[in-house]
Amino acid sequence: MKLSPAKSIRGSVTVPGDKSISHRSVMLGSIARGTTEIHGFLEGADCLSTISCFRHMGVDIENKNGVVTVHGKGLRGLSAPSAPLDCGNSGTTTRLISGILAAQDFSAVLTGDASIQKRPMGRVMKPLREMGASIEGRDDNFCPLTMHPSELHGIEYRLPVASAQLKSAILLAGLYAEGQTTVIEPAPSRDHTERMFRALGVEIETNGNVITLEPPEDLHAVDIAVPADISSAAFFLVAGAIVPGSELTIRNVGVNPTRTGILDVLRSMGADITESNFRDDAEPVCDLTVRHSRLHGTEIGGAIIPRLIDELPVIAVAAAFAEGETVIRDAQELKVKESNRIAAMVAELTKAGVD
């Protein structure tokens, strides 16, 4: 692939569906009672791994003409898989399904590719064990994870880091637990799980950084429209901001406040971004228009990091085109993603002449 500089970037684009919401829609649709139609599902390998795992637990899932239809089995209707569940390269699949499997009346093994088998799972195993789960892992921290039948009880758990995956694993286990489950976050992380719970009839309350869940009798299926993924839109936002003469609209983007740190940071750097056609149906959605502007450096760290953790690599690209110095702190989570994304950005931007 050979790229040449663009004179400008103009027009409109629709990016693929939100990855986080796509994962959760299949998971919750599978354990809800009734049929869930998912529109805008992200047809990426990670989300397809989630579909595969639930098919292996007896859930009938159709994927036709851009619509995924999940025929839910109810909260306690999953079946024992006949082989290990392969999560591929998906950390979201691995960690969130752990919360569901911890409460089942059958044993199951979770595994994935070589990358997944190096990613830490101990931080998920710890609270699930406190809830009564029986989990074994390689070196007590890595996949394959083996889950044995357990009866869970609710706990109050203070997260060591702001992590939507860890929070969601605990809340998913809380669906099956006896008594109330409470999670306390050090800073707000993406809240797609809580929003989808409410849509499915689960009694869940958020008070600041404290989330409290009452276990339901069952979940009731609803159709889900997946908005365009702001993590994918981020690349177009940066492109429009840094290429002179550009004006670009990205349509139907999910602008959940727990995910819009990228907009806050780009605007703090001087980017010209406007929102239009706003609507709110479980998840807030709008069209984003970006126009070229002169960017300047900024400092990024603290509570905003969980709201833009996946966008930090492309923010580094914006920083390379901005006047002055940009400093990013508290981004250590990027070291334990599918790759060490900090090292990757340093290596590749250095090749392009960036300091």
Side-chain angles (χ1 to χ4, degrees), residues 8 24 28 40 44 53-54 61 91 96 108 149 157 171 209 218 237 263 265 286 306 326 353:
S8 66
R24 287 159 173 80
L28 291 174
C53 286
F54 281 94
I61 303 175
L96 269 62
Y157 194 76
L171 293 175
N209 292 355
D218 221 330
L237 291 170
L263 301 181
V265 164
C286 74
T326 294

Side-chain angles (χ1 to χ4, degrees), residues 99-116:
I100 295 172
L101 289 178
Q104 301 305 315
D105 59 2
F106 54 78
S107 294
V109 176
L110 274 178
T111 189
D113 67 9
S115 170
I116 280 295

Side-chain angles (χ1 to χ4, degrees), residues 145-197:
L145 302 180
T146 302
M147 312 286 208
H148 299 291
S150 305
E151 291 188 5
L152 305 185
H153 55 81
I155 59 170
E156 180 179 295
Y157 194 76
R158 190 176 292 273
L159 299 185
V161 294
S163 165
Q165 291 183 0
L166 177 53
K167 171 179 66 174
S168 296
I170 298 168
L171 293 175
L172 285 163
L175 294 175
Y176 297 88
E178 182 180 338
Q180 196 176 74
T181 296
T182 299
V183 178
I184 304 167
E185 300 187 278
S189 63
R190 57 188 66 176
D191 65 351
H192 304 304
T193 300
E194 297 96 301
R195 286 172 179 263
M196 205 170 288
F197 275 6

Side-chain angles (χ1 to χ4, degrees), residues 31-81:
I31 60 174
R33 192 162 298 283
T35 299
T36 299
E37 274 196 5
I38 306 165
H39 297 261
F41 181 83
L42 176 64
E43 298 268 355
D46 284 6
C47 297
L48 294 177
S49 291
T50 294
I51 286 180
S52 173
C53 286
F54 281 94
R55 281 176 172 160
H56 280 93
M57 289 188 283
V59 182
D60 180 13
I61 303 175
E62 304 163 41
N63 187 0
K64 296 178 183 175
N65 304 319
V67 178
V68 173
T69 305
V70 182
H71 301 280
K73 306 284 282 188
L75 203 53
R76 302 188 181 276
L78 299 179
S79 305

Side-chain angles (χ1 to χ4, degrees), residues 313-330:
V314 78
I315 287 172
V317 173
F321 284 83
E323 293 180 10
E325 186 177 78
T326 294
V327 179
I328 302 170
R329 308 183 193 281
D330 308 316

